[in-house]
Amino acid sequence: MAKSLIDWLEFIERQHPKSIEMGLDRVSDVAQRMGLKRPAKRVITVGGTNGKGSTVAFVEAIARAQGLRVGAYTSPHLLRYNERVRIDGNDAEDAALVAGFEAVEAARGETLLTYFEYGSLCALWLFERANLDLVVLEVGLGGRLDAVNLVDADAAIITTVGLDHQDWLGDDVESIGHEKAGIARAFKPLVLGDIDPPASVLRHAYAIGAPAWRFGSDFFAEPVDAAHWRWREVGYAVDLPLPMGGQAAPVQLRNAACAIAALRALRLRLEIGALERGVAQAQVAGRLQRFERDGVEVWVDVAHNPQAAQALAEWLRAQPCKRTLAVFGALSDKDAAGVVDALAASGVDAWYLAGLRDAGVRGMEVDALADRLRATPAAAGRRFPEVASALAAALAEAAPGDRLLVFGSFHVAAVALRLLDVAG
């Protein structure tokens, strides 16, 4: 009997005993048996601790505004698996994904693949058949040993390097930077979003002859006025509209700047109109996504590590309001206390802690979350078994003029988006 997409997703989730298994040997062997070649004429790989999805969206939107056919592979998804694979601006259809999984399975033989490896091979198979000018690949975890790194990128972007996934990548930014720098290729441009990137990244770039384009040194993002910012490098500057309707966090200027730098590094002809339209039209769900409920602003964000929380805190401080309420949930392998501490100075007035018991093996019950937060400003927060009840309680207690922030893991954002979309 033919499998549906849901059948395939359930099947591939069961095939490997581990949800994460670093290494390129297995996925490279299967890719070779599938006969995979280049997924597009040009490839940009995007790695980093935070900002990867937004940067992919900017690259995709600008290139499409220039008239290029673009494929984009991102993870994780928020509402539907189809979000992970976009071709010419459209999420992949169920039938296309099923065909891709069938192609992977036919070539796999006895090789065990993880969920992410199945998905990466499926995406590359679909891209290769779509006659694309450009493919943008988001790294799933790390970089050096991530499945998307089997493709030699024409340009690579490392958005930021911070502490996250230490169990897999190392306990300090130098070790993590070494893993992320593995997406760079010899003599191909490497765009760096950190003003002061780890020495391990710069050493690797120098060792392989990858020219590093550094934010704050080789290209710049400068505010101009309430509606515009300036992208600048030596000998060239262009004023552009603020991204995402002007409501984006300041960090999105850096993400947009990195996207433009990578496209220019590929010597692609970019008209000013394409830059303007791409920056203005780029959208990514769950990154300070705004709703309004009875005079209460509701913002949904996937900030799930201290570095992302610091950027979120910067935005909160720049947007004063009467009162800020926060619904927060975290996976068990995240630094939940570090996330809360990063927001401490931003003036959160009330905390609503949500358990993530439906988030699989990495989910965390609310009592365990509260225990981790004993020494933080969220220690006295109300406890709820799941996101839905925490969100309902926060909405019930919020008054017009208040701001409600719903953030943490992608699971938190996904539940909130479903509920808020259904509620209109």
Side-chain angles (χ1 to χ4, degrees):
M1 182 179 296
K3 291 188 178 77
S4 67
L5 177 58
I6 292 176
D7 293 334
W8 271 109
L9 295 177
E10 292 175 348
F11 172 80
I12 66 177
E13 199 164 15
R14 297 193 302 265
Q15 296 313 298
H16 198 285
K18 298 179 180 178
S19 60
I20 299 172
E21 180 72 10
M22 306 291 282
L24 291 176
D25 291 343
R26 298 179 317 279
V27 71
S28 296
D29 287 345
V30 178
Q32 186 174 15
R33 292 199 290 271
M34 292 174 70
L36 292 181
K37 299 180 177 63
R38 294 283 290 174
K41 296 172 185 174
R42 294 181 177 90
V43 177
I44 295 175
T45 301
V46 181
T49 302
N50 293 299
K52 297 188 295 293
S54 297
T55 303
V56 169
F58 284 120
V59 172
E60 179 186 19
I62 293 167
R64 293 193 65 238
Q66 185 60 46
L68 302 182
R69 281 181 55 82
V70 184
Y73 177 54
T74 60
S75 64
H77 60 278
L78 278 171
L79 303 179
R80 300 170 65 237
Y81 186 90
N82 311 62
E83 300 165 22
R84 296 187 179 214
V85 183
R86 292 193 300 276
I87 296 177
D88 206 23
N90 299 309
D91 293 348
E93 299 288 345
D94 286 12
L97 292 167
V98 166
F101 287 133
E102 288 174 345
V104 177
E105 184 64 15
R108 179 177 69 87
E110 298 300 316
T111 302
L112 294 178
L113 296 173
T114 66
Y115 185 91
F116 183 76
E117 290 168 340
Y118 264 101
S120 300
L121 290 168
C122 172
L124 294 174
W125 186 86
L126 290 171
F127 291 153
E128 190 177 322
R129 283 151 181 77
N131 189 29
L132 300 171
D133 299 301
L134 173 69
V135 156
V136 197
L137 302 173
E138 179 184 347
V139 170
L141 176 62
R144 182 175 65 92
L145 299 176
D146 187 80
V148 304
N149 201 34
L150 66 90
V151 180
D152 290 326
D154 299 288
I157 302 172
I158 300 176
T159 55
T160 64
V161 178
L163 294 177
D164 201 7
H165 299 294
Q166 289 98 311
D167 289 347
W168 298 99
L169 305 179
D171 292 329
D172 55 73
V173 293
E174 292 297 334
S175 300
I176 294 171
H178 171 73
E179 293 298 323
K180 295 187 182 300
I183 65 174
R185 292 297 187 270
F187 311 112
K188 303 292 186 180
L190 172 63
V191 174
L192 302 175
D194 278 325
I195 290 178
D196 185 18
S200 58
V201 174
L202 298 175
R203 278 198 305 269
H204 182 72
Y206 179 79
I208 66 173
W213 293 36
R214 295 173 59 176
F215 177 73
S217 297
D218 302 298
F219 63 97
F220 305 84
E222 302 165 340
V224 173
D225 56 36
H228 299 87
W229 66 289
R230 178 172 298 131
W231 190 92
R232 180 172 63 85
E233 64 180 3
V234 175
Y236 178 76
V238 58
D239 287 0
L240 300 167
L242 291 176
M244 303 175 187
Q247 296 178 331
V251 71
Q252 293 293 10
L253 293 187
R254 181 186 62 199
N255 295 333
C258 287
I260 294 170
L263 289 166
R264 286 180 60 82
L266 291 182
R267 308 298 181 194
L268 292 174
R269 184 176 63 89
L270 298 174
E271 298 170 355
I272 292 177
L275 292 171
E276 292 172 338
R277 293 191 302 276
V279 168
Q281 294 171 3
Q283 296 291 332
V284 58
R287 277 69 166 184
L288 279 178
Q289 189 167 349
R290 183 183 185 277
F291 298 85
E292 185 172 340
R293 295 292 178 269
D294 299 324
V296 176
E297 285 190 353
V298 183
W299 297 87
V300 180
D301 196 81
V302 295
H304 58 272
N305 55 50
Q307 186 186 66
Q310 288 165 7
L312 180 58
E314 179 184 354
W315 179 84
L316 289 172
R317 288 193 293 270
Q319 307 287 331
C321 69
K322 186 173 72 174
R323 194 170 60 131
T324 298
L325 291 70
V327 173
F328 174 61
L331 297 176
S332 59
D333 56 353
K334 298 299 180 181
D335 181 7
V339 170
V340 170
D341 285 337
L343 283 175
S346 63
V348 174
D349 299 285
W351 290 88
Y352 301 77
L353 306 181
L356 300 184
R357 58 188 179 188
D358 296 329
V361 295
R362 297 165 64 202
M364 184 160 47
E365 297 280 354
V366 68
D367 288 342
L369 174 63
D371 187 60
R372 291 194 185 186
L373 301 179
R374 282 179 297 176
T376 74
R382 292 181 58 188
R383 303 181 187 187
F384 299 87
E386 73 286 310
V387 176
S389 56
L391 176 57
L395 283 171
E397 295 175 18
D402 287 346
R403 172 172 57 202
L404 173 55
L405 176 65
V406 188
F407 78 109
S409 78
F410 276 75
H411 181 82
V412 172
V415 173
L417 292 180
R418 287 192 182 96
L419 293 172
L420 292 167
D421 281 340
V422 167

